[in-house]
Amino acid sequence: MREPERWERRVVRREERFCGVRGNGVPGRILIVDDSVELRVLIGRILRRSGYDVVEVGDAVSAIASVQKESFDAVVSDVNLPGMGGLELLRTLRDRDASLPVLLISGAPCL
C-alpha cells in the first residue's frame, strides 16, 4: 500500500508547482513581444502548456496598444525589435505600470 501513496504524493507536489494560475484560479496573462514569428509561437506554446493565457505581438507599438487595452501579469520581450526597441518599450511600460514584470530576451550573441 505504500507505493501508491508515494506515487500520489508525487502527483500532488507536481500540481503544487504549477504556477500558470493565479491564486483565484484564473490563468496568468503574459504578453510576448518578438518580431520572430517562430520564437513568438514557441514561447507562447510553452507558456500555454504551463497554464498561462498568452497574447503575442510582433512589435513594441502593438505591445503598448495591447497593454492599454488589456491587463497583463508579465511581459516577455525581445531586446532587438523593429522601430521602437525593447529597452524603449521597457521604459514606456515602466512609466505606465512600474510593478509590471518585464523579461527582456535576446538571440544576439552580445549586447
Side-chain angles (χ1 to χ4, degrees), residues 7-24:
W7 178 81
E8 290 171 3
R9 248 183 280 144
R10 274 187 287 194
V11 171
V12 170
R13 285 189 187 129
R14 183 170 289 160
E15 290 172 0
E16 288 171 354
R17 287 191 326 219
F18 184 72
C19 59
V21 176
R22 298 179 197 162
N24 58 3

Side-chain angles (χ1 to χ4, degrees), residues 3 13 27 29 46 52 70 74 79 88 91 102 105:
E3 279 306 308
R13 285 189 187 129
R29 291 181 51 85
I46 291 168
Y52 291 97
E70 307 173 55
V79 173
E88 290 177 69
R91 286 187 201 102
V102 178
I105 59 175

Side-chain angles (χ1 to χ4, degrees), residues 20-89:
V21 176
R22 298 179 197 162
N24 58 3
V26 177
R29 291 181 51 85
I30 298 180
L31 176 64
I32 301 172
V33 188
D34 202 312
D35 56 327
S36 167
V37 176
E38 296 85 6
L39 189 57
R40 217 172 44 226
V41 169
L42 175 67
I43 294 170
R45 184 178 300 145
I46 291 168
L47 292 172
R48 283 185 187 94
R49 285 183 182 167
S50 295
Y52 291 97
D53 181 20
V54 176
V55 174
E56 303 170 16
V57 296
D59 58 60
V61 174
S62 299
I64 292 167
S66 294
V67 168
Q68 289 173 343
K69 288 188 290 186
E70 307 173 55
S71 70
F72 294 94
D73 296 304
V75 176
V76 178
S77 175
D78 188 6
V79 173
N80 300 314
L81 294 168
M84 178 189 288
L87 292 175
E88 290 177 69
L89 174 61

